[in-house]
Amino acid sequence: MFVLIFFGGAVAFFLIAMLLASTSSKKNAGAKKGGSGSPAKSGSPAKSGGSSSRGQATQAKRREEMRLPYRYADDMIFVHGDSVWTGIALPTAIDEYLNAVELQAMAEAPARALLNLARGDRNVECHYRKVYRPITAQDWAEQLNAVAWDPTENYKAYNFRKAEYQERIGAQRERNILLVKLGSMKRKSGGDSGVLPGGDDPVEESGVTRSVRDAADAAAAGATGVHDEYLSPELLAQWTQVAREVHESLDGLGGTPLSREELVWLIRKPLHGDLPIPAEPVLGSRAWGPDQFDLVVDFSGENRKTHIVLHQYDEMTGERRTSYTTTLVAASWPTETRFRQSTAWARYAAQHVDFPVEIDMRFTLIPYLKFQDRAKKISGNLIDEMNDMANSGRAPGTQLAAQVTRAQNLVDDVEEHKMPGMEAQIRFTISAPDLAELERRRRVLEMQFKQDLKVTLLRPSRQQWRLLQSQLPGDAPKLPVAPYLRLQEVEQLGAGLPTAGTELGDNPERRSGKQLGWVGNLVGWAGKTPVHYSLHVGPARNDGGGVAIVGASGGGKSSLALQKFYEESESGVRCLVIDPKTDFAQLCYYLAFGSQVNDPEFPLDAEAGLLGTPQSRFQPVNPEFWAETEVVDLLKGQAGVLDPWVVARDVPSGRLLAETMLRGFLGDEDYQRVRLPVIEAMATVVGWYNSAIRQATEQGLSARDAERQVPRPTLWQVVDEVVRAYDEAVASGDREAVKDLKLAQMLLTELRTLPYARLAFAEEPQTLSAMRKRRTVITLRGFQTPASSDPRSWNPAERLAATALMAVVELGSQMLDVGYEKNPVTGEIGLRPKALFVDEAYVVTATESGRDLMRRALKQGRSYLAVIVLITQQAIDLVQIEDSEARSGGANQIHTVFAFKQKSAQEASLVAPLLGRPESDTKVSNSLQELRTGVCLQRDVDKRVGTVAVDLVFQEILAATDTNGTTRPGRQSVDAPLSVWDWTFMQEAAAQERKAEAKAEPAASR
């Protein structure tokens, strides 16, 4: 058996397959392509070798009759013989954490949509396919590199290596395709099937089909037996409109029109088994003119009794590759079925079998009156059989009695609900690289379906080729396995949860013809499906600008955050990190200085800010990475860098921030006792500033120049003013004033000398240098996070630390607020993407003022393309931020959540709302407590929730992101290669370790 499939041109596009059956065991392994020949008329015998003209004519006729007549295809319809079809790619919806109501809605959605098609008086033929398409990871890497603002060469290599990694392990995406027959292009040939009522199908008029017109076309016809033809644009336009109406009626499924490219892949898929499908050769072969075609598929195969042997040939080397495939039919189902998530047949086949199982379901939607008639006839026949048995003195068996009951129940349901029905046959196809593995998979599939679903699968003998043909889009061949057709209600399709899957992460969407978002970096796996995520996909899809990474210590949240920090900064995102624990600084140190980080003197030079300078013996092994990195230790830096008027956008905002910081430094109780003199002092120093501004403008300066020239107020001045007022009250003998001012001047004077508070007090505050590198890490070495998440229990040192951290976040959000820049790659002017990472974020969000700050930062950040990543052990404060936005009518600000292991049921219940689930959701709560290290629950931009196993992919990233003081020195004892092309996959490193251990064991035994 030898198969060719051809594609047609832009105007007269057609696709056709020729089947040449071989009667001998000799296999034809050649591949043919279109060529030249002599003229021929449409419908005339193809020119081919033979002993006589009669033999030639017979052969050509046979070839014509056996072809698979794909005559036309575009991104909305395709023509198969006289039939016109349309296709819909259905979205895969993850159902892992849906509740009962949501699951029921998912199960009912297909039925509700399909019922719209069966409202007329004709049967509607449909074809559902569940297939697995390998991810074209190289294309993904190229597209991801193309959307990066300023990618480094290592970033480009990083994505290409990850593409290689995904292809190595055979990453695939589940594709659910629904094909609907629209009708027939020939009068009376469509029978009783189609979506238009009354059989009012657009049809071909006589003379529309044109014959082959020139020598080249005649040559192609002579070589293949395929005759080109022409379908009028008017006719195609009419069918396209019918297809659009069908798509509108199925809008509830959320699908997209099946593209021509995916249609070609869907045709080619059954002919490759488990072999990879190469890129479509048509696209790169030659330009398509009118009446041209190109080779799409060639293969040879062997039709065996129980399976098909498929052969494919490498176009470059000629090497033959073989796959074995077989199809099983669902022969019997349980007497009664209850809808359950775990036993939904389509979902089960996709998620509970350890090898790919493709589903092929041909079904016919039957209008209500016809369905009622069919059901009554079946019931009547069964009752007659029972009566005949009774009249002959035989007792009807329990099986027959049960069948009569079920048939009558079906009749009653149809008459009560007046709903259409369907006749369906469900088939399951498996493929393997050799026959032994194919048989193993068949036995496993049969056993699992029998044990878990109570479904019997049967492998029809001598029908495998027709079953394989039936998987091809379009009209199905006649099959002698009709006894396994099931007459049933339409709801039974949805009960199988055919679109349930494991897809999570970035999911670009189209609005008004424009694509929003892209597919970001690989972060891990949801089951067998890769999960991709980029920080800025949320804002790109008009969603919030926040990301939450929550979880207990040791669960893996830091590794994910560090991985994203590396990826985003290398892509050109300007990243600023608030790093109390120095984990991010350590990543930068290792990637820049390698194993030198283990030197006992390295931390001393790091604290002193000497690394990489002539004063230090530690020089970067990766100078390019270090040149784009800045690590700032605030506690070792200039006093006053956190002065509120230095941090804030303007003087009024600085005054509000000054009050907030003083309240945080002193605590609510002490601040209330000194609030009045503090407010008066602030009013005085702000008054001095305003007076100086007026004088400057009166002298001819512009308002902007005046603001640049006149120094802003400072907290140091506020304290000095309180001290001056106190001294004046003492001198004047004003006892009441002295009483109010004494405590204020004492507390504020002492405050200026404390470790964290000194960052906010200086006679001449210094600003941090402008953030212009890829990475800026602000560390607070020695920072002690509060032991409690409740600020009411914080001691004075913890209050100081928390307030300083809040000021640093305010500073960070202001540093990211920069104007437009010139893109170094495209030369265009635009907003550079930015990201603010806040580690130990719960210290900031624990107070109402900190939550207010975070709300403002999230809202403002979205407007200037800045994403805020909140890394925290506490989720409740983030929930409060989201809840307040919802109550005020605003959109959620956190577009994606990664929730790692929680230590208690109470903590887990507080995380659930961040995932969009109620606190009472025990399934989510239990899962959060049982998660392994490196595994999390993700809520993506589309509000889907599922389990993700984070994959760091590279041994070098594993070393760089290690925050464990015990394992980190060992992993960071080897320099990371300068080029990512030389990095090692973790799988390879693990294999090398196992090999080394295996070699060491015999030596140890000796």
Tab-separated table of all heavy atoms in Angstrom, residues 32 138 461 477 540 715:
chain	number	residue	atom	x	y	z
A	32	LYS	N	6.993	9.839	-4.557
A	32	LYS	CA	6.772	10.551	-5.803
A	32	LYS	C	6.386	11.980	-5.542
A	32	LYS	O	5.720	12.281	-4.571
A	32	LYS	CB	5.665	9.864	-6.618
A	32	LYS	CG	6.015	8.431	-7.030
A	32	LYS	CD	4.915	7.840	-7.909
A	32	LYS	CE	5.267	6.425	-8.350
A	32	LYS	NZ	4.210	5.849	-9.199
A	138	GLN	N	11.446	24.718	18.857
A	138	GLN	CA	12.357	25.666	18.218
A	138	GLN	C	11.611	26.925	17.789
A	138	GLN	O	12.115	28.047	17.941
A	138	GLN	CB	13.027	25.003	17.006
A	138	GLN	CG	14.042	23.914	17.367
A	138	GLN	CD	15.237	24.454	18.122
A	138	GLN	OE1	15.724	25.533	17.840
A	138	GLN	NE2	15.705	23.693	19.108
A	461	SER	N	-10.668	-7.439	13.849
A	461	SER	CA	-9.682	-8.030	12.949
A	461	SER	C	-10.025	-7.691	11.505
A	461	SER	O	-11.194	-7.566	11.135
A	461	SER	CB	-9.650	-9.554	13.127
A	461	SER	OG	-9.225	-9.883	14.430
A	477	PRO	N	-15.198	6.045	5.773
A	477	PRO	CA	-15.501	4.843	4.993
A	477	PRO	C	-16.540	4.003	5.721
A	477	PRO	O	-16.724	4.119	6.927
A	477	PRO	CB	-14.143	4.123	4.930
A	477	PRO	CG	-13.438	4.553	6.174
A	477	PRO	CD	-13.865	5.991	6.389
A	540	ALA	N	0.217	42.265	29.399
A	540	ALA	CA	0.015	42.247	27.950
A	540	ALA	C	-1.402	41.831	27.589
A	540	ALA	O	-1.924	42.222	26.548
A	540	ALA	CB	1.022	41.306	27.283
A	715	LEU	N	13.555	64.551	57.077
A	715	LEU	CA	13.148	64.146	58.427
A	715	LEU	C	14.106	64.717	59.465
A	715	LEU	O	13.720	64.979	60.608
A	715	LEU	CB	13.138	62.607	58.525
A	715	LEU	CG	11.818	61.888	58.188
A	715	LEU	CD1	11.946	60.405	58.481
A	715	LEU	CD2	10.651	62.473	58.967
